[in-house]
Amino acid sequence: MTAPVTVPATTVDRPAPGVLVARARRRRHTLGAAVTAGLALAVVVVLAWTLTLGSAGISPWDALRSALHLGSDPATDFIVRELRLPRALTSVLVGLALGVAGTVFQRLLGNTLASPDVLGISAGAGTAAVAALVLADLAGVGVSLLALVGALGTALLVYVLAWRRGVQGYRFILVGVGVAAFLSSITSYLVSRAEISDARAAMLWLTGSSGLAGPAQIATLAAGLVVLLPLALVLERRLVVIELGDDAALALGVHVERDRRALMLLGVALVALATAAAGPIAFVALMAGPVARRLVGGRTGDVLAAACVGALLMQLADVVAQEVMPSPLPTGVVTGLVGAPYVIWLLLAANRRGSAA
Amino acid sequence: MTRALLDGSDAPVDDAPAGASRATSVRRRAGLTLGLAAAVAVLVVVCFVSVALGSRDVTPSTVLHAFTAFDPTSTEHTVIREMRVPRTLLGLLAGAALGLGGALLQGVARNPLADPGVMGVNAGAAVAIVVAIMTLGVQDAQGYVWFAFLGAGVATVVVYGIAAVGRDGATPVKLALAGVAVTAALSSVTSAVLLTRTDVLQEMRLWQVGSLAGRYGPVLGQLAPYLVVGIIVALGFGRALNGLALGDDVARGLGQRVGLTRGLAFAVVAVLCGAATAACGPIVFLGLVVPHAARLVCGPDYRWILPWTLVLAPTLLLVCDVVGRVVVAPGELQVGVVLGIIGAPVFVALVRYRRTVAL
């Protein structure tokens, strides 16, 4: 059943196509870099703005001074540094991590659905955290630690189960879906057996929120990002080769499986750290990559732009959850509510058959 | 090739002698029929075990007497007739409904991931229950069954509606994405309510595990008609699904009304999964795993897949229910959990060892 393949005849009249391509590529690079810089600036501006939000009115200037330890008013310092800054920082850091992880997974597996939620990594973190809350009566750092272990363990399990002379996108996603369903049935069982107060804490954790992280979790996440973000930028070149497909990559002499493993480990580590700090936040990882790609145009520079988009999404979602909703809600509620119309819009805007992204 | 697929013979080899291919196909059909008969026999045994086994052990003769010579004063007879039998019936119906719902979804969406869970059925039912408990103070399963039914149906229709808008209609990827999106939005609403209202959380977390326990009796009576009608209609979809499996264009070329088939199939799925989920809570994996298992046995012909699913799904559900009652007796592990534990490895094995997972 081989359909005849029609090769479009490429007729280029101009004398030096290579020069034109290079020029166009350079222009796109410059534009992409400008957009990414703009996104990064927006993250910082929104960070400063969120520090001024809340019942106590604090001017942006005072908030910034206090956050940078330049202020002198103890009351302002307390509100900004103890209450608002941790939340704002968590939003930014979690958003960065999820943005990078999401776009790495999506490009690695060539599928828009390949977000940590679908691959079971979030579910693994969720089950471990709920077990910690319900069975071991842990709180705070203990829960985060177990969530971290749960996420990494689940990712390893999915990888091992999906391994069969290499890891192929579709099989990886399917195994992830299977493992996720397995874990979430265990989670609901644990919740059904718990004391009602534990069940409520578990529910809060499973929804995900910027307000969950303490200083220890924030520091861990920040340290992780300092190491992993530059690594992601380095590995991005490999991503481009892998996207060409296994055969093409092999022809180019690239050890595909090793690169894929390194990138996967990177994505998993980022998701695990983010989830340990804020719980399984829905849709940020899924949305960040495609949105960034749309804004930047083209493929290069994606990872950094996706990180910034992820951070912005988290920040704005948390503002809505805290300030706009009738009563303050966890961030995950808002990302879930925003994510859905986004995906639907994505579907309606898609013109190419079956690609939908 | 297309003709062979539509007729269900498993010999798409064009250059094979016609007589040999027909002989293979006849032998194969006989094998599948025999196998199906054996599977039904197994199901009957499982039903009997499900009635006999439990926290209170009952001898087989007592089970028979409960029907042949019912003694209203005997606790054992009452337990069997009032609890075990309805529970088993519910397992039969819900299992068949969820399995067929999954098979229909996978066939219509041509998507191996298609499953009531993916399509937002559970999330729709859950959000409807939450709203019912919160606004109307509905207390028991009997009351919120209808809301769950409604929510599951609406979610299915909405998911399909979103996927079908625009060029190309409901392609597999668009459908799965729409399902994920709607599920996430609905679960956000659900968790927003659960986090602010502890009383609703108390009700919901019990429903959310997925169980046959305590949901029989009146619930069964209310939902059985829908389940039975849905199951019968679903079984008639074999030929249409075979057509769709060839792709929309080919199916259309063969004179099928693709849009109509899809719409009808989705209505049936909404009824089947909505009613089953309303009655038992979200039971995962059954709709996902069993059609794959059936496909493994009988190949790509939906006229075989559907009846095999009809038999295999309730067998699996009841076995899991019995296992859950036995392993932690005198307590019990809900069937949703057991299915997760048993279903996941099966599913993973399926993904690993099937030659092609894509439909």
Side-chain angles (χ1 to χ4, degrees):
Chain A
M1 277 179 55
T2 45
V5 180
T6 49
V7 181
T10 47
T11 47
V12 183
D13 300 330
R14 317 214 175 162
V19 173
L20 283 177
V21 168
R23 200 179 298 158
R25 190 180 293 156
R26 207 169 321 126
R27 198 178 311 139
R28 214 177 54 205
H29 268 212
T30 323
L31 191 68
V35 173
T36 308
L39 287 170
L41 186 68
V43 171
V44 177
V45 171
V46 174
L47 175 65
W49 175 56
T50 50
L51 292 180
T52 69
L53 292 176
S55 49
I58 297 172
S59 75
W61 178 242
D62 287 345
L64 213 56
R65 271 163 50 92
S66 171
L68 297 171
H69 289 259
L70 299 170
S72 48
D73 181 20
T76 307
D77 279 356
F78 174 76
I79 292 171
V80 171
R81 280 192 225 148
E82 303 293 318
L83 303 180
R84 294 184 189 170
L85 195 58
R87 199 172 180 113
L89 271 181
T90 308
S91 292
V92 172
L93 296 175
V94 167
L96 288 174
L98 289 179
V100 174
T103 197
V104 164
F105 272 119
Q106 285 171 344
R107 293 174 61 185
L108 206 54
L109 301 174
N111 194 316
T112 328
L113 269 174
S115 75
D117 328 42
V118 178
L119 293 176
I121 300 168
S122 312
T127 306
V130 170
L133 283 163
V134 170
L135 299 178
D137 262 329
L138 292 176
V141 181
V143 175
S144 298
L145 208 64
L146 264 165
L148 197 65
V149 173
L152 293 173
T154 310
L156 186 71
L157 181 71
V158 172
Y159 183 83
V160 168
L161 289 176
W163 172 268
R164 203 181 172 197
R165 276 175 290 150
V167 170
Q168 170 226 341
Y170 215 178
R171 187 166 57 229
F172 198 78
I173 295 170
L174 276 176
V175 171
V177 167
V179 172
F182 171 70
L183 290 168
S184 55
S185 69
I186 292 182
T187 307
S188 17
Y189 174 69
L190 287 173
V191 172
S192 79
R193 296 290 298 265
E195 302 279 324
I196 189 72
S197 59
D198 280 348
R200 204 177 168 281
M203 223 21 238
L204 175 62
W205 204 90
L206 288 171
T207 312
S209 178
S210 294
L212 290 171
Q217 286 101 313
I218 296 175
T220 316
L221 179 55
L225 275 172
V226 167
V227 178
L228 295 174
L229 208 53
L231 206 60
L233 292 176
V234 173
L235 284 174
E236 186 171 14
R237 287 167 183 283
R238 305 297 178 89
L239 207 51
V240 178
V241 179
I242 291 174
E243 275 179 312
L244 294 175
D246 280 11
D247 296 337
L250 275 175
L252 289 170
V254 178
H255 196 318
V256 183
E257 205 49 50
R258 194 192 54 207
D259 286 354
R260 194 176 279 151
R261 221 174 294 166
L263 278 159
M264 248 173 218
L265 193 64
L266 174 87
V268 169
L270 285 167
V271 173
L273 284 169
T275 310
I281 301 269
F283 274 137
V284 171
L286 188 79
M287 280 193 283
V291 169
R293 191 173 293 180
R294 232 161 246 271
L295 290 174
V296 175
R299 299 212 142 172
T300 41
D302 238 1
V303 166
L304 205 55
C308 295
V309 171
L312 274 172
L313 286 173
M314 272 303 284
Q315 289 176 312
L316 297 177
D318 198 42
V319 170
V320 172
Q322 291 297 298
E323 307 291 332
V324 180
M325 291 288 175
S327 63
L329 286 170
T331 326
V333 170
V334 177
T335 63
L337 282 176
V338 174
Y342 157 75
V343 176
I344 291 165
W345 168 78
L346 201 71
L347 292 171
L348 299 184
N351 347 322
R352 273 175 308 152
R353 181 187 206 90
S355 69
Chain B
M1 162 106 201
T2 49
R3 183 90 213 124
L5 267 175
L6 276 180
D7 289 347
S9 79
D10 190 52
V13 195
D14 292 330
D15 53 359
S21 134
R22 192 163 302 137
T24 322
S25 136
V26 165
R27 206 177 314 138
R28 191 178 157 76
R29 207 168 296 169
L32 283 175
T33 315
L34 265 172
L36 196 59
V40 171
V42 171
L43 178 57
V44 170
V45 172
V46 169
C47 283
F48 193 78
V49 172
S50 165
V51 172
L53 269 184
S55 50
R56 181 196 299 268
D57 260 331
V58 187
T59 58
S61 62
T62 324
V63 175
L64 281 180
H65 286 149
F67 295 101
T68 52
F70 179 57
D71 173 14
T73 56
S74 153
T75 341
E76 289 181 339
H77 284 195
T78 318
V79 164
I80 286 169
R81 285 184 67 138
E82 308 271 303
M83 295 169 76
R84 298 266 178 83
V85 170
R87 180 173 183 152
T88 307
L89 280 177
L90 182 60
L92 271 175
L93 285 177
L98 289 169
L100 285 176
L104 230 54
L105 265 180
Q106 288 172 11
V108 165
R110 282 197 293 128
N111 188 328
L113 298 188
D115 162 80
V118 176
M119 288 282 296
V121 172
N122 299 341
V127 87
I129 292 178
V130 160
V131 170
I133 299 174
M134 185 179 70
T135 57
L136 304 172
V138 178
Q139 280 297 320
D140 51 347
Q142 222 179 314
Y144 58 61
V145 149
W146 292 101
F147 293 94
F149 195 14
L150 195 71
V154 170
T156 312
V157 172
V158 167
V159 167
Y160 183 66
I162 290 167
V165 171
R167 263 177 65 180
D168 298 344
T171 60
V173 177
K174 283 167 78 180
L175 202 63
L177 274 173
V180 169
V182 170
T183 299
L186 294 176
S187 341
S188 289
V189 176
T190 306
S191 39
V193 174
L194 293 186
L195 282 166
T196 41
R197 290 279 302 267
T198 314
D199 54 329
V200 184
L201 174 60
Q202 180 68 27
E203 271 294 313
M204 268 306 290
R205 64 188 182 133
L206 299 177
W207 178 84
Q208 213 146 22
V209 192
S211 168
L212 297 177
R215 284 161 176 154
Y216 28 76
V219 175
L220 180 66
Q222 286 176 348
L223 290 171
Y226 295 92
L227 289 168
V228 170
V229 171
I231 288 167
I232 292 169
V233 176
L235 284 173
F237 266 91
R239 207 181 154 81
L241 292 180
N242 282 346
L244 283 181
L246 303 171
D248 287 7
D249 295 337
V250 179
R252 216 170 275 130
L254 290 166
Q256 232 183 59
R257 298 177 68 182
V258 173
L260 188 71
T261 309
R262 281 234 163 85
L264 273 176
F266 274 105
V268 176
V269 170
V271 170
L272 285 175
C273 299
T277 307
C280 313
I283 290 180
V284 292
F285 269 129
L286 204 63
L288 198 65
V289 168
V290 174
H292 281 292
R295 209 169 284 124
L296 205 62
V297 175
C298 30
D301 185 353
Y302 274 96
R303 288 178 307 173
W304 282 109
I305 292 174
L306 293 178
W308 271 85
T309 304
L310 175 75
V311 179
L312 290 182
T315 310
L316 181 59
L317 186 68
L318 285 175
V319 166
C320 289
D321 189 45
V322 170
V323 168
R325 274 187 266 166
V326 174
V327 281
V328 289
E332 70 168 69
L333 215 53
Q334 290 91 336
V335 70
V337 181
V338 182
L339 254 174
I341 293 169
I342 297 179
V346 173
F347 177 72
V348 169
L350 221 60
V351 170
R352 276 178 62 86
Y353 296 113
R354 266 205 73 192
R355 269 160 298 173
T356 48
V357 177
L359 295 184

